[in-house]
Amino acid sequence: MDILKSRRRFLAGLAAVGVFGPLTQCGLARMALAGQNQQAKLKVVFFVVPDGLAVDSATAYSSDGRGLWHPAAEALDTSDFQLNEVSQELAAYKNQSLYLRGTILGPGNEGHNGWTWALRDREKKMASIDVLLGRHMPGTDPSQRSLFAGPHSGIDGTAWQVSWEGPENGGAMRRPEQDPVLMYEKIFGAVSREVREQQVRNMHVFDPVLADINELRGRLAGAQKQKLDMQLDSVEQVMKDMEETLPPIGECSPLQMDTLPFKSAEFRNQVQHHHHQVVATALGCGITRVATIQVGRSAESLNILDVSNVTNPHDCAHRYAGLDVWKRSRQWYTQRAKLFMDELAKHADPDVPGDSLLEHTLVVFTSEMADGAPEHTKDMPLVLMGGASGLLKSGDGAGRYFNITAQGDRQQEGNPVIGNKMVDMQRIWATIARAAGTVVPYNGNIDPVSGLFTNV
């Protein structure tokens, strides 16, 4: 705790002596240039909540699709739709939302193992979509290509995280930042001009490391040489990131956050809010253009005191304590997504300062599961929200419901509402990648789903 307070005092001291001043001046200069060019740059945030969003009805332990999430609509593709009891929590952003129906994650019946597929390819071999996008669309600090915020995710020691590196980086599961204060300090603690110049001066410390690695490479072969090559790539990537780091381009006013016990249920709402602030500020400064916010984890055990102080969210999802906490827990998670949208709307976009950050951000809201009682991943809850720089086809300002089963590539047991075909989620990630100007290196069907974006 003393270390955290010292770090906060350090940041406050930087602000007091004017270290943030050069940043703000630089940001204003960049904003002036952006005002001349007004070149929009897409930002993407994946907002993932655990244990589904109640897509099935209260009595169903199969994918009946008559639950509390999917909107009601008479047509397959329409702006005339009504939000459901859980999705209604996002009513404030209905007009800039695209509600998709008919997707399937993984095999469809893997329950809590859905976190291993949530943002990845069906084979679970490649990098998750957030990591891939971060490589393609970096901000001013390449070392912050893809932020990973984990409010209450894995705080109980069970690391079920949805963001993954690819095989070229060992295929490791990424660990999110759980403490928003530390996350803030890691992102913003080295953006001052003085620190940047010191980074450049200190790059020579890598020279003997590279020399040792290159000398050792000549003596190795096979798997050992491959491992060493990966280490060499990592060192070279760090050097490249340092060389390419630029000052922020937007307004970067320092955040004032309380140091809270981030594993405590008592402060759950405040800790969540601080994570929203850090991610939105990093996007608003142009430091990064991609982020993932994972709320809790699949089968999480930390109580949501707004819902119940005796029944944990996992048990709520299973309806063990009745239907009321089942519904209210799913509503609470959805409210967090709404509050994050509110936070984005408060910030100016760094590239088009006359617009809000939300106008140029695509927020992907989903879960690692469809419904937490039957524990399946069929007919997933999935909504794309935000201005997305005009790329998202969200009903021309009226909002849109789109049943995409006509483009389905996965044959499943009949769903009484949407039928027998569903779209594999990896195709959704492939489509978002195309909209952002890149492609996913996934095996199997990666045909983009048509009708989601204006440029795909």
Side-chain angles (χ1 to χ4, degrees):
M1 187 68 70
D2 290 339
I3 293 175
L4 286 177
K5 289 180 179 177
S6 297
R7 287 176 176 171
R8 291 187 65 211
R9 284 197 296 269
F10 174 69
L11 283 179
L14 291 181
V17 300
V19 168
F20 281 98
L23 290 180
T24 304
Q25 294 168 11
C26 181
L28 291 174
R30 294 291 189 92
M31 288 167 67
L33 291 174
Q36 295 174 9
N37 299 324
Q38 297 287 297
Q39 184 176 359
K41 291 184 178 180
L42 178 68
K43 293 86 178 168
V44 183
V45 179
F46 299 90
F47 200 102
V48 184
V49 298
D51 296 338
L53 287 168
V55 304
D56 295 328
S57 61
T59 58
Y61 273 75
S62 61
S63 52
D64 79 343
R66 296 190 174 98
L68 308 180
W69 169 259
H70 291 300
E74 295 297 326
L76 297 180
D77 186 359
T78 180
S79 290
D80 183 12
F81 63 96
Q82 293 74 46
L83 296 175
N84 212 324
E85 291 184 67
V86 172
S87 51
Q88 179 64 32
E89 300 299 327
L90 293 170
Y93 296 100
K94 178 184 177 183
N95 290 347
Q96 49 185 299
S97 298
L98 171 57
Y99 284 84
L100 295 178
R101 182 136 203 204
T103 58
I104 182 171
L105 179 69
N109 58 358
E110 287 297 302
H112 289 296
N113 285 335
W115 63 272
T116 60
W117 277 281
L119 299 180
R120 302 170 78 194
D121 58 305
R122 192 181 174 197
E123 294 182 350
K124 300 189 296 184
K125 292 181 178 179
M126 309 305 291
S128 51
I129 181 62
D130 55 340
V131 171
L132 294 174
L133 290 181
R135 293 174 189 168
H136 174 70
M137 41 194 286
T140 61
D141 186 349
S143 69
Q144 306 291 343
R145 280 182 169 86
S146 177
L147 301 185
F148 190 16
H152 307 100
S153 179
I155 58 172
D156 56 1
T158 302
W160 288 356
Q161 318 299 359
V162 299
S163 185
W164 296 76
E165 296 287 355
E168 67 282 359
N169 291 321
M173 178 180 65
R174 298 174 71 205
R175 299 300 177 108
E177 296 292 342
Q178 298 171 331
D179 183 346
V181 175
L182 286 180
M183 183 178 186
Y184 173 64
E185 292 173 1
K186 287 180 180 179
I187 297 171
F188 294 94
V191 296
S192 72
R193 179 180 300 168
E194 291 86 348
V195 174
R196 170 70 187 125
E197 291 173 351
Q198 186 65 40
Q199 281 182 334
V200 174
R201 289 194 296 271
N202 287 345
M203 283 181 63
H204 70 273
V205 302
F206 287 102
D207 292 341
V209 177
L210 290 172
D212 289 344
I213 292 176
N214 281 318
E215 180 181 352
L216 189 57
R217 285 179 80 236
R219 306 175 190 169
L220 300 177
Q224 288 183 323
K225 183 175 182 295
Q226 185 176 12
K227 289 180 181 179
L228 194 63
D229 286 342
M230 289 180 63
Q231 293 178 355
L232 180 61
D233 289 343
S234 296
V235 173
E236 291 177 339
Q237 184 62 58
V238 170
M239 295 180 66
K240 187 172 185 291
D241 289 348
M242 291 174 67
E243 290 175 351
E244 295 179 355
T245 299
L246 299 171
I249 57 176
E251 290 189 76
C252 288
S253 300
L255 287 174
Q256 299 297 323
M257 296 187 296
D258 296 325
T259 299
L260 300 171
F262 61 90
K263 295 184 179 183
S264 168
E266 180 182 356
F267 297 98
R268 182 153 194 170
N269 290 348
Q270 296 96 313
V271 170
Q272 180 81 38
H273 175 60
H274 285 342
H275 276 281
H276 294 176
Q277 289 180 300
V278 174
V279 172
T281 301
L283 292 167
C285 291
I287 290 173
T288 189
R289 292 170 58 195
V290 181
T292 297
I293 299 176
Q294 179 179 341
V295 184
R297 64 161 178 90
S298 191
E300 75 160 322
S301 57
L302 185 70
N303 287 347
I304 300 170
L305 299 185
D306 292 345
V307 176
S308 173
N309 62 357
V310 295
T311 306
N312 67 47
H314 176 227
D315 289 351
C316 289
H318 271 285
R319 315 168 197 172
Y320 292 154
L323 299 181
D324 181 59
V325 293
W326 171 55
K327 179 175 75 172
R328 289 196 293 119
S329 61
R330 303 310 101 185
Q331 289 173 326
W332 185 89
Y333 286 122
T334 307
Q335 290 162 9
R336 299 318 103 183
K338 187 267 182 186
L339 292 172
F340 177 64
M341 298 283 283
D342 292 345
E343 190 66 33
L344 292 177
K346 294 177 185 177
H347 291 255
D349 184 80
D351 305 296
V352 188
D355 292 348
S356 76
L357 180 59
L358 184 58
E359 290 179 74
H360 297 283
T361 303
L362 171 69
V363 177
V364 182
F365 180 46
T366 189
S367 178
E368 92 298 341
M369 194 180 294
D371 195 294
E375 296 187 349
H376 67 81
T377 55
K378 301 174 185 177
D379 203 9
M380 291 287 291
L382 179 61
V383 56
L384 312 181
M385 303 182 289
S389 294
L391 297 177
L392 184 64
K393 289 187 174 181
S394 53
D396 296 323
R400 184 174 169 216
Y401 166 90
F402 188 17
N403 182 324
I404 58 176
T405 53
Q407 301 183 55
D409 56 296
R410 297 275 304 280
Q411 192 75 22
Q412 291 294 312
E413 294 180 6
N415 181 300
V417 177
I418 62 171
N420 298 330
K421 273 193 173 183
M422 297 184 194
V423 173
D424 197 303
M425 282 284 275
Q426 78 168 19
R427 288 181 58 203
I428 300 297
W429 310 144
T431 308
I432 291 174
R434 288 284 189 93
T438 187
V439 295
V440 293
Y442 296 164
N443 293 323
N445 191 338
I446 56 171
D447 293 339
V449 178
S450 63
L452 307 190
F453 298 97
T454 59
N455 61 343
V456 180

